Amino acid sequence: MARTLITGGLVITAAEETPADVLVEDGKVVALARHGSQNWTAEQVFDASGRYVVPGGVDAHTHMEMPFGGTRASDTFATGTRAAAWGGTTTIVDFAVQTRGSSLRAGLDDWHAKADGNCAVDYAFHMIVSDVSEPVLRELPGLVGEGVTSFKLFMAYPGVFYSDDGQILRAMQRAADVGALTMVHAENGPAIDVLVEQALAKGETDPRHHGEVRRALLEAEATHRAIQLARVAGAPLYVVHVSAREALAELAAARDLGLPVFGETCPQYLFLSTDNLAEPGFEGAKYVCSTPLRPKEHQAALWRGLRTDDLQVVSTDHCPFCFKGQKELGLGDFSKIPNGLPGVEHRMDLLHQAVVEGRISRRRWIELACTAPARMFGLHPRKGTVAPGSDADLVIYDPHAVQTLSAATHHMNVDYSAYEGRTVTGRVETVLSRGEVLLDRGDYLGRPGHGAFLPRSACQYL
Ligand code: URP
Ligand code: ZN
Ligand code: ZN
């Protein structure tokens, strides 16, 4: 029996903060006890005095190796999950993609083939449904049976991932029938495409116009429509990457009515803004993602939504493209810049910075980054908490260490950092995944293939 002991730390979960020693046996947490109160022995002992012991992060929105805009996200499952581990994230939920004209089965098999044997941390899949038809919807129960219990539909990107309202309604009905959670990318894609065409015709080709044409009102309108469609379908709804305060207001209103509607935001919407999209030259391309970054004023509304639980989860939407050769595909035409930002490595630290700045409490930090995503996507209590019986996915976190985020030091396979030069207080010191040490004081000990596929149960908020 392999035993590991973490002594002297402050154990923080979504529910409580307890000074406790943590005993790990065969990859599971087996007991917590008051500091020094037990005569536990172990082959491996970590002294976490003056540090936090928190659950490994659960990033419920990543896109490793995703094809987009004629290129492919630059992190593989090997590089992206390694970077996740460096940042204290020990579970990712990535989006398998259905290619138009193919089955969900083919898309899911493709994603298993990319991930299998390559991941440093545990992983699960959502499924992007980009071709809603009767035969495709008949595949849903099979996927749910295999632990893929959430499906993403796009109201944006006509001709690529887009589904019309009828397709969305049908998919929501069937997802509800099989106990799955429908996720929606809520932006009015056809209307945005008109504005893109008009902007380009006027010679407005710079990255900042990406943010201008993808209007907040078109995010809010699509969010409202998705909520009404979900109501008609009798389906629960999870709105991904919420960035506009007007869209958040739609979610809050729905939740006030008691509807099973949930929302996620991402660090880029909390810490970055249209000021970044307007950086000189072509620099703004580094910040092109959809939904887009918004003017700074939206950030206060998002922080408030996180405090009031109108937003329940912070994920990264990690979808990196190198500046050289990938973002540059959109030189002279912002609509050709591949959409997405790198971030899987920095979510735990950026949210801890919010604790330092007094925006959220320590427990809310853990709830947003670990516990709520695990519950939302059927992984709790195996993941997302520190409790007897849970996987020993544990992070020893130094809340006082100061670090500067930079492409020169990050581990994501991308040639820039969206947070270049930003100093944050707090740093991951040691990371365990199912009791195995992946990282210890700057030494990376993880390996591709340690990470295992996690079949998920249904959303645990329903
Ligand atoms: O810009 C983004 N978000 N890229 C990834 C695809 C998506 O819509 O989540
Ligand atoms: Zn999306
Ligand atoms: Zn995404």
Side-chain angles (χ1 to χ4, degrees):
M1 225 172 343
R3 280 160 69 109
T4 300
L5 184 55
I6 302 176
T7 61
L10 179 68
V11 178
I12 306 174
T13 66
E16 56 201 358
E17 304 182 358
T18 325
D21 298 336
V22 181
L23 183 64
V24 171
E25 238 171 53
D26 290 338
K28 300 271 183 199
V29 173
V30 289
L32 285 86
R34 196 160 39 80
H35 290 158
S37 63
Q38 305 294 315
N39 289 324
W40 287 333
T41 55
E43 291 83 59
Q44 207 170 198
V45 180
F46 293 94
D47 178 7
S49 303
R51 272 92 77 244
Y52 303 153
V53 180
V54 299
V58 178
D59 189 343
H61 190 153
T62 69
H63 300 282
M64 306 302 173
E65 306 179 40
M66 184 172 92
F68 192 100
T71 185
R72 178 175 293 267
S74 58
D75 260 320
T76 62
F77 277 90
T79 62
T81 56
R82 185 174 184 273
W86 274 97
T89 286
T90 51
T91 302
I92 63 161
V93 191
D94 201 84
F95 285 84
V97 179
Q98 179 203 17
T99 312
R100 288 207 158 185
S102 294
S103 61
L104 299 183
R105 175 82 269 149
L108 183 58
D109 287 349
D110 196 20
W111 244 253
H112 273 297
K114 290 183 209 225
D116 188 25
N118 291 319
C119 292
V121 301
D122 289 350
Y123 61 97
F125 295 135
H126 313 284
M127 185 89 221
I128 288 177
V129 184
S130 46
D131 200 353
V132 177
S133 67
E134 265 311 303
V136 166
L137 293 179
R138 280 199 288 273
E139 293 187 78
L140 293 192
L143 266 67
V144 170
E146 293 174 34
V148 178
T149 56
S150 41
F151 300 91
K152 183 177 176 188
L153 297 159
F154 285 78
M155 303 171 99
Y157 307 132
V160 188
F161 296 129
Y162 175 78
S163 295
D164 67 28
D165 291 352
Q167 290 174 312
I168 289 172
L169 181 66
R170 273 183 207 283
M172 285 174 164
Q173 288 171 330
R174 295 293 273 277
D177 284 348
V178 296
L181 183 59
T182 301
M183 310 168 83
V184 166
H185 176 133
E187 285 188 293
N188 186 326
I192 287 168
D193 275 6
V194 170
L195 298 181
V196 169
E197 195 186 300
Q198 291 171 348
L200 293 175
K202 282 188 275 181
E204 294 171 351
T205 59
D206 293 344
R208 73 188 159 90
H209 296 291
H210 171 83
E212 281 165 19
V213 297
R214 302 188 87 91
R215 301 269 285 270
L217 285 179
L218 295 177
E219 184 187 342
E221 182 277 327
T223 304
H224 180 83
R225 193 157 30 100
I227 292 166
Q228 304 314 322
L229 291 170
R231 275 176 98 169
V232 170
L237 175 68
Y238 179 93
V239 182
V240 295
H241 48 52
V242 175
S243 69
R245 64 182 161 208
E246 295 85 347
L248 172 56
E250 296 289 346
L251 286 177
R255 289 178 62 79
D256 287 348
L257 291 175
L259 298 172
V261 170
F262 308 99
E264 124 196 313
T265 192
C266 312
Q268 53 268 36
Y269 306 121
L270 297 164
F271 290 94
L272 305 174
S273 73
T274 44
D275 293 353
N276 299 99
L277 272 171
E279 283 180 13
F282 191 59
E283 286 293 296
K286 294 177 176 173
Y287 307 95
V288 165
C289 59
S290 297
T291 57
L293 302 184
R294 302 291 180 195
K296 271 206 175 87
E297 306 86 80
H298 291 251
Q299 292 173 355
L302 296 177
W303 285 118
R304 185 172 184 281
L306 291 174
R307 284 193 295 271
T308 58
D309 207 37
D310 286 315
L311 295 168
Q312 298 77 36
V313 171
V314 177
S315 306
T316 59
D317 195 5
H318 176 75
C319 191
F321 297 100
C322 288
F323 185 69
K324 284 264 161 257
Q326 291 194 295
K327 291 286 187 183
E328 281 177 348
L329 292 168
L331 269 166
D333 179 350
F334 69 83
S335 71
K336 296 202 164 55
I337 301 169
N339 285 202
L341 254 62
V344 75
E345 191 168 345
H346 299 318
R347 185 182 61 124
M348 297 295 283
D349 288 331
L350 286 166
L351 285 177
H352 181 262
Q353 183 61 23
V355 174
V356 172
E357 290 170 7
R359 296 181 189 281
I360 52 174
S361 68
R362 290 191 290 214
R363 277 171 276 174
R364 187 65 175 153
W365 168 46
I366 296 309
E367 186 164 30
L368 293 168
C370 312
T371 320
R375 285 211 169 105
M376 191 67 71
F377 296 108
L379 291 166
H380 192 268
R382 182 170 173 193
K383 305 294 187 187
T385 192
V386 182
S390 297
D391 280 357
D393 290 9
L394 300 168
V395 174
I396 301 177
Y397 196 83
D398 182 346
H400 304 298
V402 174
Q403 56 168 325
T404 302
L405 308 182
S406 170
T409 48
H410 74 203
H411 302 85
M412 299 176 286
N413 183 40
V414 61
D415 63 359
Y416 75 95
S417 172
Y419 303 98
E420 187 65 43
R422 185 179 293 256
T423 296
V424 293
T425 301
R427 179 177 214 137
V428 169
E429 188 172 283
T430 304
V431 178
L432 272 63
S433 163
R434 283 180 278 111
E436 242 182 66
V437 183
L438 303 187
L439 179 78
D440 190 30
R441 293 161 207 262
D443 286 337
Y444 186 75
L445 305 163
R447 59 182 170 86
H450 165 78
F453 173 68
L454 300 165
R456 295 181 289 114
S457 65
C459 171
Q460 295 163 307
Y461 284 111
L462 298 171

